[in-house]
Amino acid sequence: MITLTIDDRPITVAEGTTIWEAARTLAIEIPVLCHDPRLRPVGVCRMCVVDIGARTLVASCVRPCESGMKVVTGSEKVERQRRTLTELLMSDQPEVCPKESTTGDSVLHALARRYEATGASLPRGAGRPRDLSSKVIAVDHQACILCDRCVRGCDEIQGNDVISRSGKGYGTKIAFDLDAPMGASTCVSCGECMAVCPTGALVNKPVSGPIVPRRHLKQVDSVCPYCGVGCGLTYNVDVEQNKIAYVDGRESPVNHERLCVKGRYGFDYAQHPQRLTKPLIRRAEFYPKAALSPEVMGNQERGKGRRKTALVSYDDVMPAFREASWDEALELVASRLLAVKKEHGPGALAGFGSAKCSIEEAYLFQKLVRAAFGTNNVDHCTRLCHASSVAALLETIGSGAVTNTFAGIAESDVALFAGTNISANHPVAASFFKNAAARGTKLIFVDPRRPDIARHAWRYAQIRHGSDVAFYNAMMHVILREGLIDEAYVRDHTTGIEELRALVDRYPPALAAEICGVTAEMIVDIARAYGGAKAAITFWGMGISQHTHGTNNARCLISLCLLTGNSGRPGTGLHPLRGQNNVQGASDAGLIPMMYPDYQRVGDPAIREKFEKAWGLPLDPTPGLTVTEITTGALEGRIKGMYCLGENPFLSDPNVNKVRKALTRLDFLAVQDIFLTETAEFADVILPATSYLEKTGTYTNTDRRVQIGRPALAPPGDARLDWQIVAEIATRMGYPMLYEKVEDIFDEFTATTHEYQGLDYPILGATGRLWPAFDREAKDGEQILFGDAYPTADGRAKLVPCDFEAEKEPTSAEYPFVLNTGRLLEHWHTGTMTRRSYALDAISPGPFVEVHPDDLARLGITAGDLVSVSSRRGRIELPARRSTSVARGSVFIAFHFREAAANVLTLDAIDPIGKIPTFKLCAVNVEKAQA
Amino acid sequence: MLRQTKYLSSRYNEPDGWSLSAYERDGGYKQAKRVLGGMTRDALIEDMKAANIRGRGGAGFAMGVKWSFMPWPPKPEKPHYLVINADEGEPGTFKDRTIMEKNPHSVVEGCIIGCYGIGAHTAYIYVRDELHLSKERLWGAINEAKAKGYLGKNPFGSDYAVEVFVHTGAGAYICGEETALLNSLEGKRGEPRLKPPFPAQAGAFGMPSTVNNLETIAIVPTALEMGGDAFSKLSELHNLKDGGSRLFGVSGHVNTPGVFEACVGLTLRELIYDLGGGVKGGKLLAVIPGGSSCPILRADDLVSAPNEKSPLFPWNGKSVLDVPLGVDTFRALGTMLGTCCAIVLSDQACPVLAMHNLMRFYRHESCGQCTPCREGSAWIFRIMDRIVAGQASIEELDRLSEIADNIMGNTICAFGEGTAMPALGFLKKFRREFEQYILTRGKSSPNRLTLPGHFAGAAE
């Protein structure tokens, strides 16, 4: 410890503490332009100089405290220095500061007011240009003071490495890439540079209305509605206009103020003029039911010369519906569902919830289906996401959630990323992974499509599609052969090692190399690094789960982790990165056909009895159908009535042409959503719901962190809260659901669970809690699970050996390419929200297929050409994009775009255990489209 | 006292003086062989300390002491590096270039000895981009030495591996600053680093490194051959621990500009009149003693050092032109020895235009990192522009001083001071001339002589 005085006040600080930090603890504010506590200090602005009695003044942000130092923070000499500096900087500022005229919080202008420095005493320099090429950020080089904050924000916080300085001397300026316009650079529009900029050099462009100072707006602390990372953010709301003006990242254990483009700029969808505001009932003349817009009609009826649109055309769809009162609509839904139940039995009904729902909505919805419908046919998009991972995790370690948070990587020396494009799908988590790489953690990526973040990789293995099992078996082979196995851990905490040993024995690296299309050395290298790590953490995504052998893929990763004892300790763990903001919470809430809340088996009589008692009626003892099975059931006429809350299966499920037929065949379909979705075209009744931004609810992120989302806006028109609609339907179906407020539902839910014990709204507060959080006195819930034992019958984890299986649909002469599907950074699933966000749509306006340059050349296709991609199930047309991320012979299409829906092509074969479809692999042909 | 020497420059006029055979004929590589043949590191460093070689790049730090700062023994996971600064970009300085072109083997031999001294196995010579012949000669020398087995895994049959590489800069003055040079060497933008850590702790690629000026490393074999103490005693300033002989450059308004080798102790008068052939076109007005960053001295300045303890005491009351050129003597004069390459101004030159020209250079070459330097150098030049154009008022001279003062000591590297010091120097020594210039809107300017080379076109 070091003792010194600052402005005659004594203070004792830890060694290495800077003068600036020490002063802050004494509440002495030293003015600074280039520093922010989140950034590495660089000491370039020289505004924070203080007097320590030396020959020269020192920059307090970089100067460590020394014993006996006598610091004066505001002597006349110091103040003179600061005044001169401010004057120098102000003399070149633009007439109207872009920050002062918007958020009004320019740090430089605040200093200018303090020092009465206008810059008028100096001759002005030649003007510097503005750069308005970015869709979301306006750059004014004239206002830039080269404080380096944006450079560090971009390079060191977000790890995007886009911004740097270029030129020298007075001609120095910040530059994007090799001095490209910002909008044409590799910038991913996360807005970190704008957030840290102390002047008007980088400011938000308005997204949904004028940007004004925060004091004129209402601040709503909430959580981002998009991905499973669950970033804390603050909405700055113009209450009068019922609009969000802009978003700030919020300090939270999840994101530490960081955001990505979706969280920061994708908030205006809720104000889109196409919001549903009145219940709608299908007009009699639009029966028998069929799709209404050309894009949804499909190939046969398609076209008639009309250009395909990015959004459902309300002009096409609305004439088929008439507005109705809530009473009429709800009565119709309840009576029609009851009629189906009466005529065909409860098993003819089904419900699709959504992972975008809150925990309360998910809980209530599954309760509605189980209690009021009388069936377990309730599922949601987890089936399309991590169903296989959860199946494997429940089977092996007895719990489907992550065993460590993603931030746990900070303590890992090796991190394995299997089939996950994190910088697009979990961008803020990815920034922490890049930070770890910068600190020396070895990042290993295994993926058939090279993820952008692979430039931070220690090794990247571009394996063939679907060859995962062979790859990880070979890794285990090497680990066993070279004695890298954690014998004690395997002995004390697992079962099945001999069976696993016998199996992986048959997978030497040379064999796997042949199957996977990588070198044996690569496999050995990666196995040695992973096996030799002090702490290795394992992340995976849809590249693992969305396969007909998705459960096997996950089992292999779990075995790999257990074999090396990389579980239950800091820096280790299994982390299937959750896609949706509440896919963890919705699953926890029982929105799955075989389990009640908290993964309690429907088939277990004791458990069923518990729920029958709690819910006050007998329950169906047989596990229900999954998403994919419900669609098949509808097609085959076994499912007659459906209630769809927030899901859009028409675009999100595989084999669109099959889904279309299935939806057409339903006797009754109720769709509850905020916009007309493709699925709603088949609805009998459409119920206008509230968006995330208009309601209160809890959401569990990928880390198991339960957080409260709070309403920023008032709902439009007659739109109602989702939970109230569900409760009303249940009541009208003869199962009264009476709740006063959303907290009551949360409390009822937690009472049925073990893992959510100890959680309630007051304790969740601003930053939420990780579950389990039984100790209410603790600062947070448990970060690392299963240090002692696993929640299985014998307390041990099970090693499940898996053989490599060939693909269900191999390429052929007719369909020579492998199609891989996934998401883009700017868009969310079926685009219902993001394609209605001005900024996200502007940055990423339409579909494309990524093709390797060699394949393009071979096919005589130029990048930008319209190509036709066809599979055994359908055909779409979209422009080709040149990309070396995909391997030769494979193509990639994002599934967000209705005008070229990737799921027209995908195969609806499913994993036998997880029942997840194989979105990641089917055979297609690519050819130049007919003009 | 003028005592010319021929250690580095003995073969400067020979057509093939730069070749290995010529170098070895004169005893070259014997010292490297001796060092690798069994000399202890301690003995080597002691000898180098005794040689009192003050860094020839401008800062004048004792080389032997710098070598001793390296952590010892080297850790296998932290290889040491020797980095040679040959980014000779200071206006008026052109001495290192002559060594690279005409005596490159002295550099290579110096690198071998230096590597051994600091525990490195790799040396990088960072050469300014424009010096194409220098790079060619250095690579040629490295390849010749390698072919002979003087470099590589087993130089001179020893097991102390040494490799030497030439790295080309990209034409930024700031890369002559040692930490900016290290960044540039690593492929990053050439911007100075915060210190600490110093290069000996975390230098090239984050590893312990020593950065030496090229002339500093080239003289090492000579000092070793003579013995450190004997070498140091060549100098008249041996007692000030400023030893040996070195290269002196002179340019500007002299009849025979060039590079000369002499014992330390030479005076400006000797450099200008005996070696530089006297002032060309007029009388001597002023001298910038060691590269453009050093504050200017007027020819009529007298030494004022009544204190016995001052290194300048022996010259108290004498002309500054008679003070021996030494690191400490010139620091005491309020200027710097710098690179020891003087720029001479005759009374036919205009100091206002000379400063205007210098300030243009600094505005252009600031790396842009620190506000006071980037903005300050720009504003100084802008005000100088107004003065030259006859638009400025006398008060703006105070503004100039204020801005320059604001830069002093207020930047990450010494470049800021390198800008401010000459500006303040000109303003202090030529205040009358500046005021006259402003009042007469430039009519008082002699401006009958423009300066050659870097100074051409000062009044454009």
Side-chain angles (χ1 to χ4, degrees):
Chain A
M1 299 302 276
I2 286 165
T3 301
L4 67 158
T5 67
I6 301 178
D7 293 344
D8 296 326
R9 291 164 63 188
I11 180 171
T12 301
V13 294
E15 203 161 328
T17 310
T18 64
I19 297 173
W20 192 81
E21 289 165 336
R24 238 161 89 96
T25 60
L26 288 173
I28 298 171
E29 199 63 43
I30 300 176
V32 68
L33 287 166
C34 72
H35 187 51
D36 175 290
R38 288 196 304 146
L39 298 169
R40 173 179 58 90
V42 289
V44 297
C45 79
R46 298 284 146 172
M47 196 59 76
C48 71
V49 287
V50 293
D51 202 334
I52 58 166
R55 179 178 70 91
T56 57
L57 302 177
V58 302
S60 63
C61 72
V62 288
R63 183 61 176 258
C65 293
E66 286 161 31
S67 197
M69 213 178 224
K70 287 187 170 59
V71 179
V72 180
T73 66
S75 69
E76 202 213 312
K77 187 177 166 192
V78 165
E79 290 290 287
R80 197 172 58 233
Q81 190 95 322
R82 290 179 188 154
R83 186 171 296 117
T84 306
L85 266 181
T86 313
E87 184 76 10
L88 279 172
L89 291 171
M90 283 303 292
S91 64
D92 260 355
Q93 283 292 301
E95 302 282 335
V96 178
C97 170
K99 188 157 267 178
E100 285 298 284
S101 59
T102 55
T103 48
D105 53 355
S106 162
V107 182
L108 175 62
H109 282 75
L111 281 173
R113 285 190 287 273
R114 171 169 166 181
Y115 292 115
E116 295 173 353
T118 58
S121 71
L122 292 161
R124 274 181 86 77
R128 291 168 172 155
R130 290 201 294 171
D131 172 2
L132 301 177
S133 59
S134 160
K135 306 288 185 199
V136 290
I137 293 168
V139 187
D140 189 342
H141 290 287
Q142 186 69 18
C144 176
I145 56 166
L146 289 157
C147 67
D148 193 65
R149 281 208 213 180
C150 59
V151 176
R152 280 167 287 155
C154 185
D155 298 1
E156 295 176 18
I157 294 189
Q158 291 274 356
N160 289 328
D161 305 327
V162 177
I163 311 183
S164 176
R165 280 184 290 277
S166 98
K168 57 186 180 183
Y170 185 70
T172 313
K173 61 171 189 155
I174 57 162
F176 305 90
D177 290 347
L178 298 173
D179 207 5
M182 189 182 197
S185 72
T186 55
C187 165
V188 293
S189 308
C190 68
E192 191 70 48
C193 56
M194 179 282 306
V196 292
C197 179
T199 72
L202 295 157
V203 298
N204 275 335
K205 284 182 170 181
V207 167
S208 62
I211 295 175
V212 298
R214 286 178 184 76
R215 63 177 183 279
H216 300 316
L217 301 167
K218 181 179 149 198
Q219 276 72 45
V220 177
D221 284 352
S222 190
V223 180
C224 178
Y226 286 105
C227 81
V229 174
C231 296
L233 44 69
T234 301
Y235 290 113
N236 294 287
V237 186
D238 182 332
V239 180
E240 225 166 274
Q241 298 272 328
N242 197 33
K243 272 183 175 171
I244 293 168
Y246 51 97
V247 175
D248 295 319
R250 186 159 63 83
E251 175 50 36
S252 123
V254 175
N255 59 315
H256 300 291
E257 298 181 36
R258 304 176 189 190
L259 291 176
C260 78
V261 62
K262 291 191 286 283
R264 201 183 295 276
Y265 299 111
F267 53 79
D268 53 329
Y269 65 91
Q271 269 85 49
H272 196 277
Q274 290 187 331
R275 273 296 291 276
L276 298 174
T277 56
K278 290 254 195 296
L280 299 171
I281 293 176
R282 200 179 192 97
R283 292 178 191 274
E285 57 268 40
F286 284 85
Y287 287 92
K289 282 191 283 183
L292 299 166
S293 68
E295 291 80 4
V296 179
M297 286 173 191
N299 289 342
Q300 299 79 15
E301 305 143 85
R302 176 184 63 100
K304 300 174 191 109
R306 183 172 148 289
R307 213 171 141 242
K308 294 191 168 191
T309 57
L311 301 174
V312 170
S313 160
Y314 278 41
D315 291 344
D316 287 335
V317 179
M318 277 307 194
F321 292 90
R322 65 172 171 87
E323 287 183 359
S325 71
W326 269 107
D327 191 53
E328 183 189 2
L330 289 169
E331 199 51 47
L332 185 61
V333 173
S335 61
R336 291 291 302 272
L337 290 172
L338 279 173
V340 171
K341 184 177 173 183
K342 197 170 166 196
E343 197 175 331
H344 303 284
L349 289 176
F352 279 3
S354 166
K356 291 229 96 56
C357 298
S358 66
I359 289 177
E360 293 83 355
E361 289 158 2
Y363 172 79
L364 224 54
F365 189 78
Q366 61 88 34
K367 188 177 170 187
L368 165 88
V369 174
R370 294 197 155 110
F373 288 15
T375 172
N376 287 310
N377 293 341
V378 60
D379 205 0
H380 73 295
C381 47
T382 188
R383 195 60 47 206
L384 313 174
C385 165
H386 265 305
S388 47
S389 311
V390 172
L393 284 165
L394 286 173
E395 173 194 25
T396 53
I397 66 168
S399 166
V402 299
T403 70
N404 195 349
T405 61
F406 71 78
I409 195 174
E411 295 168 290
S412 318
D413 46 353
V414 171
L416 173 64
F417 295 87
T420 169
N421 185 11
I422 32 181
S423 53
N425 299 329
H426 308 88
V428 173
S431 71
F432 290 95
F433 301 151
K434 292 181 231 176
N435 297 160
R439 284 192 306 265
T441 303
K442 287 177 177 171
L443 308 190
I444 299 168
F445 294 89
V446 183
D447 203 316
R449 174 169 176 253
R450 184 188 169 89
D452 286 342
I453 196 179
R455 69 189 175 86
H456 297 266
W458 173 74
R459 287 287 185 279
Y460 163 58
Q462 186 161 37
I463 61 167
R464 284 202 188 101
H465 299 266
S467 64
D468 313 69
V469 168
F471 187 89
Y472 300 112
N473 277 349
M475 268 181 77
M476 289 190 271
H477 178 101
V478 175
I479 283 166
L480 285 169
R481 189 180 67 197
E482 303 198 353
L484 297 167
I485 168 180
D486 185 338
E487 298 278 3
Y489 189 87
V490 170
R491 187 189 61 227
D492 297 342
H493 294 284
T494 71
T495 58
I497 179 65
E498 285 321 313
E499 294 84 338
L500 183 71
R501 195 189 292 275
L503 182 120
V504 300
D505 208 35
R506 293 191 275 111
Y507 286 87
L511 172 74
E514 197 132 308
I515 298 172
C516 303
V518 297
T519 62
E521 291 73 39
M522 172 76 88
I523 300 174
V524 172
D525 262 10
I526 292 175
R528 283 180 184 155
Y530 186 92
K534 285 192 210 82
I537 190 161
T538 308
F539 295 94
W540 72 89
M542 304 296 93
I544 287 297
S545 60
Q546 289 176 341
H547 280 285
T548 50
H549 44 76
T551 306
N552 281 354
N553 288 349
R555 284 167 170 165
C556 288
L557 285 172
I558 295 163
S559 295
L560 184 63
C561 160
L562 294 170
L563 210 53
T564 48
N566 279 308
S567 174
R569 291 183 286 122
T572 71
L574 290 161
H575 193 124
L577 285 151
R578 257 51 185 211
Q580 294 268 18
N581 60 332
N582 196 35
V583 68
Q584 181 66 52
S587 302
D588 294 344
L591 203 57
I592 31 184
M594 49 295 251
M595 285 134 177
Y596 296 121
D598 206 13
Y599 307 95
Q600 300 175 78
R601 296 266 172 194
V602 165
D604 184 326
I607 287 169
R608 192 169 59 251
E609 197 177 317
K610 183 174 106 181
F611 279 94
E612 284 174 343
K613 208 166 147 197
W615 295 346
L617 80 177
L619 296 171
D620 181 2
T622 46
L625 301 177
T626 61
V627 163
T628 38
E629 290 166 330
I630 290 170
T631 309
T632 310
L635 192 64
E636 293 170 358
R638 284 179 283 120
I639 299 290
K640 300 283 188 191
M642 257 187 85
Y643 179 13
C644 210
L645 194 165
E647 288 251 304
N648 188 12
F650 184 81
L651 280 186
S652 63
D653 284 19
N655 195 353
V656 164
N657 289 326
K658 179 181 159 187
V659 178
R660 181 187 303 109
K661 278 186 211 132
L663 290 174
T664 316
R665 294 202 61 176
L666 286 171
D667 281 358
F668 180 75
L669 172 65
V671 170
Q672 178 173 329
D673 217 310
I674 57 172
F675 296 106
L676 272 186
T677 61
E678 288 74 9
T679 306
E681 293 188 21
F682 302 91
D684 296 270
V685 181
I686 301 172
L687 303 170
T690 37
S691 78
Y692 176 95
L693 300 166
E694 294 146 7
K695 59 194 177 190
T696 306
T698 50
Y699 302 85
T700 305
N701 81 346
T702 187
D703 284 340
R704 292 178 265 107
R705 180 172 299 281
V706 189
Q707 308 187 91
I708 303 176
R710 292 186 171 83
L713 301 170
D718 292 343
R720 280 197 187 174
L721 292 173
D722 291 77
W723 74 262
Q724 289 175 343
I725 303 173
V726 173
E728 188 70 28
I729 290 174
T731 307
R732 285 171 192 251
M733 285 181 78
Y735 183 77
M737 280 192 187
L738 306 168
Y739 300 94
E740 254 175 47
K741 52 187 194 301
V742 76
E743 287 95 320
D744 299 345
I745 310 171
F746 187 74
D747 293 341
E748 180 182 315
F749 155 67
T750 55
T752 67
T753 70
H754 173 66
E755 300 291 9
Y756 277 71
Q757 290 295 319
L759 295 178
D760 53 32
Y761 269 57
I763 206 164
L764 291 178
T767 54
R769 291 206 138 200
L770 294 170
W771 69 251
F774 304 138
D775 181 2
R776 287 177 65 92
E777 302 305 314
K779 268 172 75 179
D780 201 346
E782 308 276 337
Q783 184 195 334
I784 300 163
L785 300 183
F786 317 136
D788 312 320
Y790 290 97
T792 52
D794 55 2
R796 286 163 175 270
K798 194 165 148 196
L799 298 165
V800 182
C802 303
D803 249 321
F804 169 72
E805 292 166 22
E807 276 319 314
K808 291 282 179 288
E809 187 173 86
T811 53
S812 62
E814 206 181 339
Y815 298 104
F817 286 90
V818 178
L819 169 68
N820 178 12
T821 69
R823 293 197 272 137
L824 304 179
L825 167 65
E826 294 83 4
H827 283 296
W828 191 260
H829 288 187
T830 63
T832 316
M833 292 153 67
T834 54
R835 299 201 81 188
R836 287 183 176 87
S837 154
Y838 157 75
L840 301 175
D841 184 56
I843 297 169
S844 177
F848 56 87
V849 53
E850 284 187 358
V851 187
H852 192 277
D854 292 354
D855 290 330
L856 283 178
R858 201 164 45 77
L859 296 169
I861 297 168
T862 316
D865 282 356
L866 201 62
V867 298
S868 159
V869 185
S870 53
S871 76
R872 291 182 174 86
R873 290 154 296 281
R875 191 170 71 88
I876 58 173
E877 286 184 359
L878 69 177
R881 189 177 281 187
R882 217 183 133 81
S883 166
T884 48
S885 298
V886 292
R888 288 173 194 82
S890 78
V891 297
F892 172 84
I893 303 176
F895 71 91
H896 314 294
F897 302 100
R898 63 193 299 270
E899 58 270 45
N903 281 327
V904 166
L905 307 170
T906 49
L907 178 66
D908 50 332
I910 56 172
D911 176 279
I913 302 153
K915 308 286 167 83
I916 191 167
T918 176
F919 287 113
K920 292 296 181 202
L921 202 161
C922 73
V924 296
N925 187 29
V926 178
E927 59 197 337
K928 209 164 177 165
Q930 307 297 321
Chain B
M1 190 173 47
L2 171 60
R3 275 181 293 143
Q4 277 194 268
T5 55
K6 286 284 176 191
Y7 299 113
L8 287 172
S9 59
S10 64
R11 292 177 308 283
Y12 269 26
N13 296 322
E14 263 181 53
D16 293 329
W18 44 269
S19 67
L20 179 63
S21 53
Y23 186 65
E24 289 203 287
R25 184 195 66 213
D26 291 352
Y29 284 111
K30 280 189 182 157
Q31 299 312 311
K33 190 175 178 183
R34 177 163 74 97
V35 167
L36 294 193
M39 194 169 183
T40 66
R41 187 214 181 216
D42 287 347
L44 172 62
I45 290 199
E46 281 317 305
D47 211 27
M48 286 299 106
K49 280 185 181 166
N52 290 321
I53 302 170
R54 303 291 285 266
R56 310 301 201 217
F61 196 81
M63 188 204 78
V65 178
K66 199 185 227 184
W67 284 13
S68 70
F69 285 161
M70 291 294 276
W72 205 261
K75 293 185 192 135
E77 73 279 11
K78 289 217 164 211
H80 293 187
Y81 292 107
L82 176 65
V83 179
I84 305 305
N85 186 346
D87 190 56
E88 189 173 48
E90 184 82 6
T93 301
F94 41 84
K95 63 181 181 64
D96 293 343
R97 174 181 178 176
T98 64
I99 304 173
M100 291 186 274
E101 290 181 359
K102 297 177 174 179
N103 192 8
H105 280 285
S106 66
V107 180
V108 176
E109 185 176 8
C111 282
I112 298 171
I113 299 166
C115 276
Y116 185 79
I118 65 160
H121 295 281
T122 307
Y124 294 104
I125 309 173
Y126 185 100
V127 184
R128 181 176 164 177
D129 176 53
E130 294 90 331
L131 305 182
H132 300 298
L133 183 60
S134 295
K135 287 180 280 182
E136 192 184 314
R137 290 273 159 86
L138 283 172
W139 271 124
I142 290 165
N143 290 333
E144 273 187 305
K146 205 177 258 182
K148 274 277 204 149
Y150 298 169
L151 289 172
K153 282 216 158 69
N154 307 98
F156 306 103
S158 77
D159 58 1
Y160 194 89
V162 177
E163 292 287 359
V164 181
F165 299 95
V166 175
H167 184 93
T168 304
Y173 172 72
I174 194 62
C175 291
E177 197 278 343
E178 65 175 358
T179 57
L181 184 151
L182 291 172
N183 273 341
S184 174
L185 179 69
E186 293 177 11
K188 297 175 185 153
R189 189 175 150 85
E191 285 175 345
R193 299 173 180 174
L194 281 170
K195 290 191 253 187
F198 292 93
Q201 302 159 293
F205 310 102
M207 301 299 158
S209 307
T210 297
V211 185
N212 284 144
N213 167 262
L214 183 115
E215 184 192 344
T216 313
I217 206 77
I219 197 68
V220 163
T222 303
L224 213 53
E225 185 180 354
M226 292 179 75
D229 191 53
F231 178 77
S232 179
K233 282 176 177 156
L234 289 173
S235 160
E236 223 155 287
L237 301 177
H238 170 71
N239 292 335
L240 289 173
K241 290 188 171 293
D242 192 348
S245 75
R246 63 186 295 168
L247 297 181
F248 295 84
V250 60
S251 63
H253 299 149
V254 287
N255 288 310
T256 55
V259 173
F260 307 94
E261 190 178 0
C263 293
V264 175
L266 183 78
T267 65
L268 276 175
R269 193 183 298 284
E270 289 160 343
L271 179 63
I272 295 165
Y273 291 96
D274 298 346
L275 299 175
V279 178
K280 182 173 157 185
K283 285 191 290 184
L284 182 64
L285 173 72
V287 189
I288 300 173
S292 62
S293 294
C294 305
I296 196 163
L297 292 172
R298 283 185 76 118
D300 50 11
D301 282 343
L302 299 178
V303 178
S304 165
N307 189 334
E308 261 179 68
K309 284 187 180 148
S310 164
L312 289 178
F313 181 69
W315 297 276
N316 188 23
K318 291 186 183 164
S319 165
V320 293
L321 298 177
D322 294 315
V323 176
L325 284 155
V327 175
D328 303 307
T329 49
F330 269 59
R331 189 171 292 152
L333 275 180
T335 178
M336 291 189 305
L337 181 63
T339 56
C340 224
C341 288
I343 301 167
V344 176
L345 272 75
S346 91
D347 63 355
Q348 305 295 297
C350 173
V352 177
L353 297 182
M355 171 159 160
H356 179 245
N357 191 34
L358 269 185
M359 291 304 124
R360 175 192 291 127
F361 174 80
Y362 287 109
R363 179 193 65 155
H364 187 254
E365 294 297 341
S366 162
C367 83
Q369 222 183 163
C370 304
T371 314
C373 169
R374 180 190 67 244
E375 302 291 323
S377 62
W379 290 117
I380 291 174
F381 178 70
R382 215 170 284 170
I383 295 172
M384 285 306 296
D385 243 3
R386 287 168 55 81
I387 294 174
V388 169
Q391 298 163 342
S393 62
I394 301 276
E395 290 70 46
E396 282 178 70
L397 289 178
D398 298 330
R399 204 78 242 244
L400 266 186
S401 301
E402 190 187 322
I403 296 170
D405 257 335
N406 190 300
I407 301 175
M408 288 298 290
N410 204 7
T411 50
I412 287 175
C413 78
F415 178 97
E417 301 198 355
T419 306
M421 281 191 305
L424 290 169
F426 265 96
L427 289 173
K428 187 170 148 204
K429 302 280 184 182
F430 295 102
R431 177 80 190 192
R432 206 170 47 82
E433 283 82 348
F434 271 78
E435 287 179 1
Q436 281 301 109
Y437 192 105
I438 290 170
L439 291 174
T440 64
R441 295 181 187 279
K443 295 206 172 58
S444 68
S445 169
N447 196 26
R448 283 183 287 275
L449 251 191
T450 50
L451 292 161
H454 290 290
F455 283 76
E460 77 191 24

